[in-house]
Each structure stands twice: as C-alpha cells, then as structure tokens.
Amino acid sequence: MAIEKIQYAFYFDQTRCIGCNACTVSCKDWNQVNPGPVRWRKQENHEKNNGLSVFENLTMSCNHCEEPACMAACGANAITKTDKGIVIVDRNKCQQLLSCIIACPFAAPHIADNLQEPKKGENWIVDHPMQKCKFCWERIEDGNAPVCVSACPVRALDYGDIDDLQRKYPDAVRMNKTDFPYAYSLNSITVTDTKPSFFIKKRAKLPFSDVIK
C-alpha cells in the first residue's frame, strides 16, 4: 500500500493583514531568537506605483519548498525534509558553507552574529550554524498550529496540507516571481522554480492604483 505524500504549506491573506507584527514577535518569542540579524519570520510593506502610498503587506518565513534549493546546495547534508514536507536544518551538521544562503530565492536561511548568539552549542561544528523557520514542527506534532498562525489576531495566516489549503482557498495563488517580485532575494542564483509551499490571497487593486504613475 502506497504511503500518501504530505506537504505542509502556509497561507496568507493580504486583505486581512494589518501589519501588526504579532506573527513575527510570537515567532521570536517561541523560538527564543534574540535581537539581531536573524529573523525566522519577517513582515514587510511593499510600496507600489512609484511612491504612491499603496501598500501590500507580506509576512513570510521559510516557504518549505517542495523542491528546496537550499537542500540541494548544502554540501554538508545538514538540510532535510520531514515526512510532512517541512524543511529542517540539523545545526550540528552545518559547516557554514553558506551555499544554502546563496541558493535560497527567499533569503530564508540566516547566520547569527556573536551578540545575537553569544554561546556556541555543545555539538556545533561552527560558532553560528545556519538557522531558519522550522514550521513549528514540534507544535504540529502536539496537534497545535504554528505559533505565527495562532498569534495572528485577524486570521490572516493559516497552514495545512497543500492540497487541503488549495481546496479551502481556491482564490489564493502560489508564491511566484511574477506576482511577488519583491519577495525574492536579489543574491539568489536559483533559476528554477522551487515550488514554494506558500499560498497568498492577493489584495485587490485600488480603483486609482493604475491611474497615477
């Protein structure tokens, strides 16, 4: 009997998001990420139309791609996928080759500095192995939602199996470079589609958004 493939994904509703950063703050708190360059989840406001104040909120973490470029690029075999499609890094194996950072289209992998991460882990090979969102897999195993999803006061975030999410939110589009060019990292060498497990309900254009240039 074949085992059914599961791929977990995030969903984000731009029409609901108010940019409150509850998702990013709860992520830092739950995962004990100190202040510094590492951000497992980031909230950005993209300004459109040549300075016209028409904003598109976007909160994004690792997209746990179906075909993760970071995993393919890692020479230390420190990045793997779980049976739920969650992309995990084994910080004990990371050699800080930085190939994952170069390969990721979304700038999801991060390296801390000495202030953010002052104490080296007992089994780490390097002082600051790569770290990133792990989809709160330990919460999921206990039957709970990722902390960012639970913290959102306006229910702009959701998660679940990728097929279930697509049925639940048929008007959402998968993260792509055409609709969301500002979400892609400029230093990425990835030229193929990594199939990000992230679906977005886009904010509708305002009536005057295409008139003023």
Side-chain angles (χ1 to χ4, degrees), residues 14 37 41 66 77 91 106 159 171 176 204:
Q14 278 188 329
R41 175 170 285 280
E66 292 189 56
N77 296 317
R91 302 192 77 198
F106 309 104
Y159 82 105
D171 55 349
N176 64 84

Side-chain angles (χ1 to χ4, degrees), residues 10-25:
F10 281 114
Y11 165 80
F12 172 61
D13 187 341
Q14 278 188 329
T15 70
R16 285 180 175 268
C17 180
I18 57 175
C20 68
N21 273 297
C23 57
T24 63
V25 173

Side-chain angles (χ1 to χ4, degrees), residues 22-34 40 147:
C23 57
T24 63
V25 173
S26 63
C27 175
K28 279 181 173 287
D29 180 62
W30 176 263
N31 295 293
Q32 298 183 351
V33 179
N34 294 326
W40 288 19
V147 69

